[in-house]
Amino acid sequence: MSASIVVVDDDPIIRLDIREMLEEEGYHVAGEAKNGEEAVELVANLKPDLVIMDVKMPKMNGIKATQIIRRLQERDTSILLLTAYSQKELVQEAREAGVSAYLVKPVSEEDLIPAVEIALSQREKMASLKKDLEALKRSIDDRKLVEKAKGTLMKELALSEDEAYCKLREVSMAERIQMPQLAQRILSDGVKPWFSQKKNA
């Protein structure tokens, strides 16, 4: 499946040129906008992989639109800014806004396509990193649940730490429930539904 791209520029000729360059390379242009306000709305509705956006536009410029997209958006979209200006201040402002790549006009196919590939590659790396971080957070949260449930068992059944952990593992295997889910149920329902006997009883 080809990447989904939104093209934003107040000049319809430039939009058409960029669209043609992208489509020749097999990319899918999901939509076009002529200013930053339309860009924000399109991105919210279409959730594209990449936005190619001019900086200087009426109503709302590309940097302001980038800032809003970054604030409002749940799904990460790469943003490639196009501009006729190459001042250092603008580059810094674009970077701080969360732009993935930056091209100075006029844009040729030789410049555009590699920049698109880099921006999309960065998006994939960020998505992968985000996924890894979420998995790590889930793992830490799961560990905390198991530790809390283990502490509850130690207190209510007068067990040592090792014994409490073994009990949790035994019930988890017997009931075919993952340890974090079992821990959650113990913390919400109490120990009795799962452990009727006290240590040495």
Side-chain angles (χ1 to χ4, degrees), residues 62-74:
I63 291 176
K64 181 65 177 173
T66 297
Q67 291 168 341
I68 293 171
I69 288 167
R70 284 283 173 261
R71 269 205 313 270
L72 300 180
Q73 204 183 25
E74 293 179 11

Side-chain angles (χ1 to χ4, degrees), residues 15-107:
R15 290 202 307 269
L16 179 62
D17 285 346
I18 291 172
R19 174 186 276 273
E20 286 178 351
M21 284 189 272
L22 292 169
E23 289 179 343
E24 278 177 16
E25 291 296 318
Y27 291 111
H28 169 59
V29 178
E32 295 181 18
K34 61 180 180 291
N35 59 56
E37 286 183 359
E38 289 183 7
V40 171
E41 191 175 334
L42 262 186
V43 170
N45 291 333
L46 299 177
K47 296 179 171 54
D49 299 307
L50 174 65
V51 178
I52 299 174
M53 181 157 50
D54 189 21
V55 170
K56 195 174 181 182
M57 295 182 293
K59 291 191 177 181
M60 184 188 292
N61 68 36
I63 291 176
K64 181 65 177 173
T66 297
Q67 291 168 341
I68 293 171
I69 288 167
R70 284 283 173 261
R71 269 205 313 270
L72 300 180
Q73 204 183 25
E74 293 179 11
R75 183 169 178 251
D76 294 321
T77 292
S78 282
I79 298 175
L80 170 57
L81 273 193
L82 305 176
T83 181
Y85 310 99
S86 57
Q87 297 102 320
K88 288 182 180 179
E89 297 82 6
L90 189 61
V91 174
Q92 181 61 30
E93 207 178 335
R95 191 180 292 124
E96 289 171 1
V99 169
S100 306
Y102 179 94
L103 275 180
V104 177
K105 290 180 178 179
V107 177

